[in-house]
Amino acid sequence: MSKPIILTGIRSNGELTLGNYLGAMLPLARLQARHAGEYQVNMFVPDLHSFTTPIDHEDLYANTIRNLKMFIASGLNTTQKDTFIYRQSFIPAHAELTWILDCFVYFGELSRMTQFKEKSENQETVSVGLFNYPVLMAADILLYGAKYVPVGEDQRQHLELVRDLAIRMNHQFSENLFIVPEAWDEQLKFAGLNKGVRIRSLKNPDKKMSKSISDPAGTILLSDDPDEAAKKVMSATTDSIGQINYDFTTQPGISNILQIISLLSERSLDEVLAKWQGSTSYGDLKQEAAGLVRDFLIDFQNKVSQIEESLIDEKLLRDEAAMRQVAEAKLLEVQQMVGLRRK
Ligand code: AQP
């Protein structure tokens, strides 16, 4: 029997951030290490998703390869059997299945997506691609029958839509058509988390750290100079309460820093709070976080520099050929179900 699948991806629409690392890359690497041999790991770059909002297209191809390097630097072992890396646009079934799924998703459902609302707010023009983003994401997941999809909290609503869509189509066509990915709580349990990870901007801690919003002082890029990144942490926005507590409603800046310390130092939040809760030394707290960020970036960037691009190219070629077959087989099944092909 084939192994259950863990699948994740990160768009190449900008430079990756500490939020991407802590919310998606590190969890995937940890899951892979924890379940070596039991699961298949699909790590792909959703390059077609990368221009739902405007980007510099000159950078797209290079960004895709650089992101793959960063995934490997974050601990993803690409030499492990049953680990596949691929680019979405190299497997045409993603785009073809999207069209079919489009006809089973409702306009109202997509209109309710928070990410669509946030990203389209105050924009002069909004692409249909931005609206349709979750359906392409559904195709990414359903083509391979992924059970676990480690993503940050911001993707929760999209994942729930994927489940609704899979259940709806299974009900209409065949209960075996799609493997329905696990519900959010099960995803968290599997990743060993109590709640979803959402790293905030250091300057605007009410907002998530993002790679597409220009917020240089609030964003730690994985390519940032380590000393400059430490300075950003030292000047992070906090509050005037004067006492350290973990509460994102009243102290989002401080809570964000506590969360970063916990994730980077691999200590539980309780352990971190045991040291800091009630303390009045915001400066010392920042100092600890700044040191961790600096050391992490030095190590991470060193790893990135050692990864040979030619090995990535070879692996992509092999894995994309293998995944194309899997995706085409599922697409054919769907085409048969909806009447496009003879059963
Ligand atoms: N701040 C964050 N905290 C935790 N997780 C995060 N992720 C992104 N930002 C944070 C997770 O990283 C993955 C990125 O996937 P994506 O690039 O395909 O989509 P996204 O959610 O739109 O990511 P970004 O980086 O925030 O990009 P922009 O700024 O372009 O929107 C996902 O697993 C996401 O949860």
Side-chain angles (χ1 to χ4, degrees), residues 11-15 49-51 53-55 60 63 67 211-212:
R11 301 186 293 151
S12 30
N13 61 328
E15 292 206 41
H49 268 113
S50 299
F51 42 101
T53 47
I55 59 161
L60 178 57
N63 268 347
N67 287 4
K211 62 175 139 54
S212 66

Side-chain angles (χ1 to χ4, degrees), residues 8-11 13 17 19-20 22-24 46 115 119 133 150-155 197-200 208-213:
T8 206
I10 296 193
R11 301 186 293 151
N13 61 328
T17 71
N20 296 130
L22 295 174
Q115 197 176 79
K119 291 209 160 120
Y133 172 124
V151 286
E153 167 76 26
D154 59 316
Q155 289 290 343
V197 176
R198 184 181 171 87
I199 303 299
R200 314 292 183 96
K208 78 163 187 174
M209 190 179 283
S210 157
K211 62 175 139 54
S212 66
I213 295 171

Side-chain angles (χ1 to χ4, degrees), residues 60-124:
L60 178 57
Y61 195 86
N63 268 347
T64 300
I65 301 295
R66 194 186 49 192
N67 287 4
L68 283 163
K69 277 190 182 176
M70 290 194 169
F71 254 96
I72 295 168
S74 69
L76 184 80
N77 177 358
T78 50
T79 61
Q80 188 169 298
K81 198 172 164 290
D82 294 327
T83 291
F84 297 91
I85 60 170
Y86 53 95
R87 293 157 291 187
Q88 185 187 43
S89 73
F90 281 68
I91 303 178
H94 288 247
E96 286 188 54
L97 181 62
T98 300
W99 176 257
I100 297 176
L101 297 181
D102 266 337
C103 301
F104 295 89
V105 180
Y106 309 129
F107 184 83
E109 283 178 309
L110 290 185
S111 310
R112 281 195 294 276
M113 293 294 118
T114 313
Q115 197 176 79
F116 173 70
K117 287 197 246 177
E118 281 175 4
K119 291 209 160 120
S120 54
E121 208 174 51
N122 304 323
Q123 299 301 316
E124 241 171 68

Side-chain angles (χ1 to χ4, degrees), residues 18-286:
L18 187 66
N20 296 130
Y21 175 76
L22 295 174
M25 299 158 79
L26 186 61
L28 180 70
R30 289 208 177 130
L31 282 175
Q32 185 195 39
R34 197 178 314 145
H35 298 289
E38 289 167 64
Y39 288 83
Q40 176 179 318
V41 173
N42 283 26
M43 161 44 220
F44 76 108
V45 180
D47 50 355
L48 289 172
H49 268 113
S50 299
F51 42 101
T52 53
T53 47
I55 59 161
D56 184 345
H57 290 263
E58 288 291 320
D59 296 338
L60 178 57
Y61 195 86
N63 268 347
T64 300
I65 301 295
R66 194 186 49 192
N67 287 4
L68 283 163
K69 277 190 182 176
M70 290 194 169
F71 254 96
I72 295 168
S74 69
L76 184 80
N77 177 358
T78 50
T79 61
Q80 188 169 298
K81 198 172 164 290
D82 294 327
T83 291
F84 297 91
I85 60 170
Y86 53 95
R87 293 157 291 187
Q88 185 187 43
S89 73
F90 281 68
I91 303 178
H94 288 247
E96 286 188 54
L97 181 62
T98 300
W99 176 257
I100 297 176
L101 297 181
D102 266 337
C103 301
F104 295 89
V105 180
Y106 309 129
F107 184 83
E109 283 178 309
L110 290 185
S111 310
R112 281 195 294 276
M113 293 294 118
T114 313
Q115 197 176 79
F116 173 70
K117 287 197 246 177
E118 281 175 4
K119 291 209 160 120
S120 54
E121 208 174 51
N122 304 323
Q123 299 301 316
E124 241 171 68
T125 55
V126 177
S127 76
V128 175
L130 181 64
F131 187 66
N132 209 26
Y133 172 124
V135 188
L136 180 54
M137 177 166 162
D140 298 338
I141 295 170
L142 300 178
L143 275 175
Y144 304 93
K147 194 167 172 192
Y148 293 106
V149 186
V151 286
E153 167 76 26
D154 59 316
Q155 289 290 343
R156 174 183 183 160
Q157 202 185 18
H158 292 166
L159 190 64
E160 281 164 359
L161 181 87
V162 176
R163 279 174 50 80
D164 290 347
L165 178 57
I167 292 168
R168 182 178 306 153
M169 290 190 70
N170 284 356
H171 188 65
Q172 181 167 348
F173 296 105
S174 154
E175 286 308 324
N176 299 320
L177 182 58
F178 291 127
I179 291 179
V180 181
E182 292 289 328
W184 183 251
D185 286 351
E186 289 304 314
Q187 301 278 349
L188 288 184
K189 235 186 267 171
F190 184 68
L193 296 167
N194 297 326
K195 68 187 206 49
V197 176
R198 184 181 171 87
I199 303 299
R200 314 292 183 96
S201 154
L202 296 171
K203 277 291 157 201
N204 307 292
D206 289 327
K207 300 219 162 8
K208 78 163 187 174
M209 190 179 283
S210 157
K211 62 175 139 54
S212 66
I213 295 171
S214 174
D215 172 25
T219 307
I220 306 279
L221 298 176
L222 296 179
S223 56
D224 268 351
D225 173 82
D227 290 322
E228 291 304 315
K231 281 187 203 152
K232 289 185 193 179
V233 178
M234 290 309 293
S235 51
T237 303
T238 52
D239 54 68
S240 55
I241 293 176
Q243 197 183 52
I244 295 171
N245 290 295
Y246 185 71
D247 181 344
F248 272 104
T249 314
T250 53
Q251 296 186 265
I254 286 291
S255 305
N256 195 32
I257 294 173
L258 287 165
Q259 184 177 228
I260 290 172
I261 292 177
S262 158
L263 291 167
L264 280 182
S265 65
E266 298 190 41
R267 281 178 288 157
S268 71
L269 200 54
D270 285 344
E271 274 176 79
V272 175
L273 285 176
K275 175 172 174 192
W276 290 106
Q277 178 106 42
S279 157
T280 53
S281 323
Y282 284 14
D284 292 345
L285 179 79
K286 285 181 175 180

